[in-house]
Amino acid sequence: MGKYDSTLLGSEEIAQAARAFHFEKPEGFDFTPGQSIDVVLPEGFPGETGDRRRTFSIVSAPDEDRLTVGTRMRKSAYKQPLAQAPPGEGVIIVGPKGTMALHDEPDRAIVMIAGGIGITPFISIIRSEAEQDSPRPMALLYANHRPRDAAYMDELRAHAKRLDNFHMVATMTAPEDGDGWDGETRRIDPEMVETAASGLPKPHYYIAGTPDMCEDMRQMLDDVGIEDDDIHSEDFTGYT
């Protein structure tokens, strides 16, 4: 794990109350899809009040020329200064790190379970696999309350349409009248996981979301007989 100087390139809204932040990719910075970084605001960063460090999953694929992270926005002493800073402000990148790194067994499939902004590490994985000559079989279960909360949905739909071996099930567990949602509304359950994984070769299972969601999904996978070594998850409050 290294420490690198970087620069904020800009940010954009990716869902209601969620933003992506783009940073200059430091020379020599290499990572595996699924990993995370710490973004440190240096002393003197505009508006910083001492709350200067957060961990974020990397959204961008390894061959992209910038580093992108995504997060739910809160009125915190860290996120507000970052959101209001102009492009060109310096930051410090620490990493890569994390246990969600994509496995290096090309003969095994990938099953991803995402809650809310927990989709971020899976965007990196899917983008990376989409660039391969022979992408691994992938299934994604993606849960949100409402469509407006679901980051990267247009991109995910495009991948699902283009990639023969990528299947996505999106579920909105609290849709409201006017949302126009006519898809799945169940919480992710064993039947959904078993259906998504059906026919996939020896899948690894990846979980990203709130701590409670990750704990529930791990227990569910354990209950249906998935071995612990095949389950990978990281939970931290930055996903909420």
Side-chain angles (χ1 to χ4, degrees), residues 113 188 207 213-222:
I113 302 174
I188 296 172
I207 309 166
M213 181 264 192
C214 288
E215 182 179 354
D216 289 346
M217 292 297 103
R218 267 193 166 273
Q219 185 61 56
M220 182 186 70
L221 293 177
D222 183 68

Side-chain angles (χ1 to χ4, degrees), residues 112-213:
M112 298 162 282
I113 302 174
I117 202 63
I119 192 63
T120 51
F122 302 142
I123 296 297
S124 180
I125 289 173
I126 294 165
R127 286 181 183 178
S128 179
E129 285 298 304
E131 296 164 358
Q132 307 304 314
D133 292 334
S134 298
R136 283 173 269 198
M138 298 179 288
L140 170 66
L141 299 171
Y142 185 21
N144 286 275
H145 292 303
R146 301 181 62 185
R148 67 187 186 188
D149 301 320
Y152 295 106
M153 276 296 290
D154 289 344
E155 177 178 344
L156 289 166
R157 287 180 174 131
H159 285 307
K161 184 176 182 179
R162 185 173 69 85
L163 298 173
D164 292 336
N165 59 353
F166 172 52
H167 176 65
M168 176 178 68
V169 176
T171 182
M172 305 296 159
T173 59
E176 296 182 2
D177 293 341
D179 282 343
W181 180 254
D182 59 0
E184 184 64 72
T185 58
R186 290 179 294 166
R187 294 183 180 274
I188 296 172
D189 59 25
E191 180 184 358
M192 292 172 70
V193 174
E194 290 177 355
T195 299
S198 178
L200 297 183
K202 299 180 293 183
H204 280 273
Y205 293 80
Y206 296 84
I207 309 166
T210 64
D212 286 346
M213 181 264 192

Side-chain angles (χ1 to χ4, degrees), residues 37-40 51-56 76-79 238:
I37 55 174
D38 285 357
V39 179
V40 182
D51 186 4
R52 297 168 42 215
R53 186 170 186 148
R54 287 290 187 279
T55 300
F56 300 101
S76 73
Y78 175 93
K79 292 182 179 180

Side-chain angles (χ1 to χ4, degrees), residues 219-233:
Q219 185 61 56
M220 182 186 70
L221 293 177
D222 183 68
D223 290 344
V224 299
I226 306 302
E227 295 184 6
D228 285 346
D229 288 346
D230 293 336
I231 304 173
H232 315 271
S233 69

